[in-house]
Amino acid sequence: MVGRKKGTNALTPLELQIMQVLWSEGPSNVQHVQKSLLPGNELAYNTVQTMLNVLHRKGRVGRSLEGRAFVYSPVASKETVLGQAVRDLVERMFGGSSEELVMSLVKSRQVDLERIADLSRKMAQERGEQDE
């Protein structure tokens, strides 16, 4: 059976949903996270609490005691975590070649060449603004 490497710090889909809540809502207690999850994803309080504890053990969230409840907050920014996930995906699935990732997106029609050209122009414009 092929699974994740032991000790990996990758986020599961549910962990990512919880992180999305913390990134958008800011520091939150278990109850707030539970109520803020995507519609259709009603989870028991204990399940959300367990997942937040897992994220804490992984070093993805910090927590502080406020009154009788822990308040959880993300340790890293959304951009940092998503950047790590993309780098991991490119390394594992495309042998480290981001060009292969882009070609896969084009071949599977998940992005078209016109959109890539638009993105290329925007990136060039951003680089020009950063050089000023």
Side-chain angles (χ1 to χ4, degrees):
M1 182 169 115
V2 176
R4 286 190 297 170
K5 294 179 203 167
K6 186 171 178 116
T8 184
N9 215 15
L11 295 173
T12 67
L14 180 54
E15 290 170 345
L16 184 56
Q17 280 185 356
I18 290 171
M19 292 300 295
Q20 296 280 4
V21 170
L22 295 175
W23 286 319
S24 65
E25 302 286 325
S28 303
N29 62 26
V30 176
Q31 186 176 23
H32 184 81
V33 172
Q34 179 191 25
K35 290 180 179 180
S36 299
L37 287 170
L38 297 174
N41 195 8
E42 290 81 26
L43 296 174
Y45 179 93
N46 288 344
T47 301
V48 175
Q49 185 175 40
T50 297
M51 296 310 300
L52 283 163
N53 287 331
V54 168
L55 287 165
H56 182 256
R57 279 194 306 275
K58 283 185 170 184
R60 295 303 187 127
V61 298
R63 68 181 182 192
S64 59
L65 192 58
E66 292 187 14
R68 293 177 42 181
F70 280 115
V71 172
Y72 296 85
S73 54
V75 170
S77 70
K78 181 178 181 176
E79 292 75 22
T80 298
V81 172
L82 296 180
Q84 290 168 345
V86 169
R87 279 190 296 281
D88 182 55
L89 172 76
V90 169
E91 187 61 39
R92 286 184 303 110
M93 302 296 290
F94 301 97
S97 171
S98 54
E99 293 84 4
E100 288 294 324
L101 167 64
V102 173
M103 288 305 298
S104 176
L105 292 170
V106 170
K107 288 177 184 176
S108 63
R109 300 185 193 281
Q110 294 181 46
V111 67
D112 61 30
L113 294 176
E114 185 177 313
R115 181 70 179 136
I116 289 175
D118 287 343
L119 291 171
S120 183
R121 283 190 290 277
K122 285 180 184 177
M123 290 182 344
Q125 184 178 13
E126 270 189 34
R127 266 185 260 141
E129 290 172 2
Q130 290 174 355
D131 292 341
E132 292 175 1

